[in-house]
Structures are given as structure tokens and as C-alpha cells.
Amino acid sequence: MKKADVEAHAIGVETHDIFDDAAGVDPVYQAKAKILNDAFQEIGMGRYQWYLFIVAGFGWFSDNLWPIVTGLILDPVVNEFGFQGPFLKLGQNIGLLVGAAFWGVASDVWGRKWCFNLTLLITGVFAIAAGASPNAIALCSLAAVWSVGVGGNLPVDSAVFLEFIPASHQYLLTILSIWWAFGQLVGSLVAWPLIANFSCASASDCPRASNQGWRYFLYTMGGLMMFFFVLRFFVFHMHESPKFLMGRGRDADAVAVVHAVARYNGQASGLTLEMLEEVDRRLDGGAGKTKGDEDGRGIDTSARGAVMRKLATFGGSHVKGLFATKKLAYSTTLLIIVWALIGLAFPLYNGFVTFFLATRGADFGDGSVYITYRNQVILSVIGVPGALLAGYMVELPYLGRKGTLAISTIITGVFLFASTTARTSNALLGWNCGFTFTSNVMYGVLYAVSPELFPTKDRGTGNAIVGSANRVFGIMAPIIALYADLSTPVPIWVAGALFLVSGLICLLLPFEPRGKASI
């Protein structure tokens, strides 16, 4: 057996031993999923997976772009419509929460393929529509709807990517965060000329005709999402996830997909339909046909069965599985707290960073729109190497995922505290460059390490819990901002403190996934 195969089995065997007595596990599904994972390990990393790395990256791109978008257009839309800006962020975060909850279930009912494409389509269509908003209510409402699409990107795209790559290349999930950095960079570059040159100087005289910049910006970014949708849907041939097909009783189709990917990569696969059918005979005895099951398999392969399996991840047995031992309960609790605190800290700071830079810049006599967005572009460029560094650091001995996450999160908080001491515009920009760099390292690791720290059979529950905690606290951020004085450093101190506490909590995590494959 290859070394990569041995490593692929290591973490699976460990978590299976710990939670073997937990209720609610479908042994047929688990055994078949392991066979499919072994098949992709045999195929290795090839052309199909690298193309998937690009099109799945569009999801990361979108996930960071659109929260940045609402921050970039905040000043001009407030000047034009005369409303409280945090309501725009509130609408967006509500949409993100709905999207994260909805698309996870939808991908198990309709399949990964359709959800993979629809999220970008919805985002693009409603973002373009938002560019024609006649008032603040329409804009906030459309922001909420486009965010329903944005909220589904990472839950669906990360699942698609992980279900097609070999276990030996799971570190690429961390590297995917480079697209997260590109999203901020592209958004800032496009906003710079449009909003700087086509915006009102103040709210006192701001008719629509002289404040078209933010509308052009939404048209452009919405159009970019439509372009990404076209690449995904019409250019890249996205196969349905073999695990989804297997879960719906379509074993033959699942095997066909694996062989199609192997041929595309110029490889051969030893996977056969008989291997999956043997699981039925061995674990289920081949008895008892279920609804939608034409071959006598013991799992419910109907649409209802897919929904029930998804809903079952929220059931008591799977929640208990996350707390089955004292050590795992400790790990799960810490992860929930970290996701919640960062979910509050990041949008609180990032959603109003351009406003903060403008007001502080004004104190130094250079608070123009041009200078503000120039600085935003510089900050965005800094984030790109941060994502690459994260992928390197997580594989280092004695550091790994846990060390990288803790250090980057703590330093992020330190940089935010330091930014309040700036007495020149350049000093302020320097501190914020440090924040952007370390926060991109932090997010790259956080998005990748969390699924690795949950046992396979309970991973859906774990991801749902930490994701919900993150979005719920994200909704709290604009509500807090409505009652905070954003012209003072207070929001920056609060965000910095939350990052600092989160980093310290990361040091307490009891598990380190480095060198082990999560199958």
C-alpha cells in the first residue's frame, strides 16, 4: 500500500475507534464513502482537480468580495439615500445566514452540481439589479438576496472540492484562500476609479446623476459573477459528486464518474461496481429494498432519504457525537467560540474599514476618496502572499494547523490595537497592512482546519454549528455598529480584543491534524 494511502486511513481509523459506539451512523454509506475516497487517492491529483481548484476558487473569491463591496459603497449610498449605513450590512449578514443554512440542505437534495452553479448565478443577477436601486430599502433588500447566493459558496464549494481531491492533497483547501485574497484585491481595484471619480463629495448635494460610481461598481461585480457562472456551467464539465450519487443509490453512476475523472487525468482506476455492491452484501445482507432503491440496498436513496440524512446531522445523536468524549467536547466547544468571536470581530472591523480610514485620513488632511481607495488596494495586495504563507505554515513540524491559526489570530489582534496609535496616515496604513496579511493567514487555516477537527460521521453537524455561530454573530456586528461611535477607535479596540481572545483559545485546541488525512 502506498504511503499516501496509509496516511489517508490514519485519521479515519482513529476517529472511527473513538466514536464506533455512537448511534445514528449508516455503516453502508460510511463504508462506500471510504471506498470512493480510496479510489480518488489511487487516481491522484490531476488535471480535473486543478481545474476544479480554479472554478471552486470562484466561491472563495465571492465570499470575500461581497462583504468588501458593501463596505466600499457604504459612503456613497449613505450620501445619496440618507440612511443609517449599518442597515446595509445587517441585510447582507441576514442573507449570508439564510444562504449558509439553505444551500447545505439543497446540495444533498438536488446534488452538488446545481447548487455549485446556482449560487454564483443568484449573486450575479441580484447584484446587477441592486445597481438600479431607487432607494435604500430596495438596496438593502437586494443585498440580502444576493447574499443568500454568497452564503452558499463555501459550504457547497468546499464540499465539492474535498469530494474530488485525494486525501494526500487536502492542504490545498488552505491554499484555496488565495482566491479569498484575490476577491478583495479585484473589488478594491475596480472600486478605486469608479467610486473615486463618479461619487458625490458630500451628502448635502448628492443627486443620483452625480453619484453613479457605486452603481457602475455593482454592475461590474455582478457581471463578473455572471462570467464566473458561465465558466462553471458552460466551459468546465462539472461531474456530479460520486458521494452524492452513491447516497442516492446510483452506485453505477458514481463509479462512472470516478472513471471519467481518471480518464481525464490520463490515469486508470481499479474501482468497480462490485466493490460497492459487496458492501451491501457484507453489511446489509442485500435484504430490504427501500424507497427509490432498485438494487436492494439498505439505505433510503429517495429524495426524502437524502433530506432526512441531512436533517439527521442536526439530530441529538450527531450533536452528542461531537461531545462523545471529554477531549472532543472540549475541542468542539472551543471551535464554536472561536468561530463566533471571529464572526463578530471581522465584519465589525472589515465592514467599516474604509469609513475608518477616511475619517482618520481626514485628521491628517488626506481623507480624499482617491487616497482611501488607493490604501484599500494596497491592503488587498498584501493579503495574497498571506494566503500562500498559510498553506506553507500548516505543514511545518511543531507549528501545524493549530500553531499557525493561534499565532496569526493573536498577531491580527495586536495589529488592530497598534493601529489606534497611528499619528500619520502612512503609519495607519502600515498597521492595517499587517492586519490584512495575518488575517488572510488566519482565515485560510480556519476554513480548512475546522472540518478536520470533527469526526467524519458528525462533520455535517460540526460545520453547521460553527458556521451558524459565525453568521449569527456576524448579524450582531452591524447592530452593534448602529449604536457605536464609528468616528472613534472603539470598534477597532473591540475587534482587536476579540481576535486576541480567539487566538489564545486556539492554543488550547487539543487536536493537531497536521500529517493526517481526513477521509
Side-chain angles (χ1 to χ4, degrees):
M1 181 177 288
K2 297 179 181 178
K3 180 180 178 182
D5 293 330
V6 174
E7 293 177 347
H9 286 288
I11 194 170
V13 171
E14 179 183 353
T15 53
H16 180 72
D17 286 343
I18 294 174
F19 306 107
D20 192 38
D21 58 348
V25 181
D26 185 338
V28 177
Y29 183 90
Q30 286 292 101
K32 290 184 178 181
K34 188 175 182 180
I35 291 173
L36 292 175
N37 285 333
D38 291 343
F40 277 112
Q41 185 64 50
E42 178 189 29
I43 294 171
M45 192 76 183
R47 269 201 312 160
Y48 185 86
Q49 286 90 349
W50 286 117
Y51 288 151
L52 185 61
F53 179 88
I54 295 174
V55 295
F58 297 161
W60 269 256
F61 185 101
S62 175
D63 184 75
N64 196 27
L65 169 67
W66 291 100
I68 294 293
V69 164
T70 51
L72 292 173
I73 69 173
L74 189 62
D75 279 351
V77 297
V78 167
N79 286 342
E80 180 174 338
F81 295 137
F83 71 108
Q84 289 181 288
F87 279 113
L88 178 60
K89 300 298 294 185
L90 179 60
Q92 179 180 58
N93 281 294
I94 290 174
L96 290 173
L97 175 61
V98 172
F102 172 76
W103 291 108
V105 176
S107 65
D108 278 353
V109 178
W110 300 330
R112 310 287 193 259
K113 182 176 181 179
W114 283 104
C115 296
F116 187 66
N117 291 301
L118 288 176
T119 50
L120 287 180
L121 178 63
I122 291 173
T123 303
V125 168
F126 287 99
I128 292 172
S133 299
N135 52 53
I137 294 177
L139 176 62
C140 293
S141 300
L142 289 169
V145 179
W146 89 48
S147 297
V148 171
V150 175
N153 280 309
L154 290 186
V156 176
D157 297 3
S158 60
V160 167
F161 189 66
L162 282 174
E163 289 171 11
F164 277 100
I165 63 170
S168 58
H169 286 69
Q170 281 184 188
Y171 69 91
L172 289 174
L173 191 60
T174 301
I175 303 293
L176 265 174
S177 64
I178 192 172
W179 287 95
W180 206 72
F182 285 149
Q184 181 177 358
L185 175 60
V186 171
S188 300
L189 284 172
V190 175
W192 186 357
L194 293 180
I195 296 181
N197 296 318
F198 301 97
S199 297
C200 300
S202 67
S204 58
D205 182 25
C206 193
R208 175 170 177 167
S210 59
N211 196 45
Q212 292 288 320
W214 69 269
R215 298 179 187 275
Y216 297 153
F217 182 46
L218 286 182
Y219 294 148
T220 305
M221 294 296 95
L224 181 60
M225 292 300 103
M226 296 300 293
F227 175 68
F228 285 168
F229 164 72
V230 169
L231 289 180
R232 274 189 178 184
F233 193 75
F234 295 103
V235 178
F236 178 73
H237 180 59
M238 171 69 187
H239 294 288
E240 185 54 85
S241 164
K243 286 184 182 176
F244 169 79
L245 294 171
M246 177 268 291
R248 296 299 296 272
R250 298 163 59 186
D251 288 357
D253 291 336
V255 172
V257 168
V258 172
H259 282 276
V261 172
R263 284 194 301 272
Y264 193 83
N265 290 350
Q267 301 291 330
S269 173
L271 178 68
T272 65
L273 179 59
E274 288 71 25
M275 291 180 180
L276 299 180
E277 292 176 338
E278 172 61 25
V279 173
D280 294 318
R281 291 189 291 269
R282 177 165 49 90
L283 296 180
D284 192 54
K289 287 189 178 183
T290 55
K291 184 178 179 181
D293 184 357
E294 297 177 358
D295 300 314
R297 293 173 178 81
I299 54 176
D300 188 347
T301 59
S302 65
R304 177 184 178 277
V307 176
M308 295 308 294
R309 276 195 298 275
K310 185 64 178 180
L311 293 178
T313 64
F314 296 94
S317 63
H318 283 277
V319 173
K320 290 178 182 177
L322 294 169
F323 300 88
T325 66
K326 185 176 181 180
K327 189 175 183 181
L328 186 62
Y330 182 57
S331 175
T332 301
T333 301
L334 293 182
L335 277 176
I336 293 171
I337 295 173
V338 168
W339 273 88
L341 294 181
I342 292 178
L344 174 59
F346 191 78
L348 183 63
Y349 175 80
N350 197 56
F352 303 98
V353 62
T354 52
F355 180 83
F356 179 73
L357 288 172
T359 54
R360 289 302 292 263
D363 294 338
F364 308 132
D366 61 354
S368 66
V369 173
Y370 175 84
I371 294 296
T372 298
Y373 288 102
R374 181 208 67 179
N375 292 353
Q376 185 67 17
V377 169
I378 293 174
L379 295 176
S380 303
V381 172
I382 292 295
V384 175
L388 294 175
L389 179 64
Y392 170 74
M393 291 177 67
V394 295
E395 294 296 323
L396 292 177
Y398 307 110
L399 192 62
R401 272 79 156 164
K402 185 171 71 172
T404 303
L405 181 59
I407 292 172
S408 59
T409 307
I410 291 173
I411 297 177
T412 296
V414 170
F415 278 133
L416 290 196
F417 281 125
S419 70
T420 64
T421 67
R423 293 295 177 266
T424 66
S425 182
N426 288 338
L428 179 66
L429 177 61
W431 291 122
N432 280 284
C433 283
F435 159 78
T436 302
F437 182 84
T438 55
S439 66
N440 272 272
V441 175
M442 174 195 72
Y443 257 105
V445 181
L446 185 64
Y447 277 130
V449 75
S450 296
E452 292 180 313
L453 293 181
F454 296 128
T456 301
K457 65 184 180 58
D458 301 314
R459 187 166 294 139
T461 305
N463 287 338
I465 291 175
V466 297
S468 297
N470 183 261
R471 297 305 188 188
V472 167
F473 274 72
I475 291 175
M476 291 172 57
I479 296 176
I480 292 173
L482 283 169
Y483 300 99
D485 183 0
L486 295 179
S487 63
T488 72
V490 172
I492 310 302
W493 281 92
V494 172
L498 292 172
F499 279 119
L500 202 62
V501 172
S502 299
L504 294 174
I505 293 174
C506 292
L507 288 173
L508 303 177
L509 288 170
F511 298 113
E512 171 53 61
R514 189 193 70 82
K516 303 172 185 176
S518 179
I519 62 173

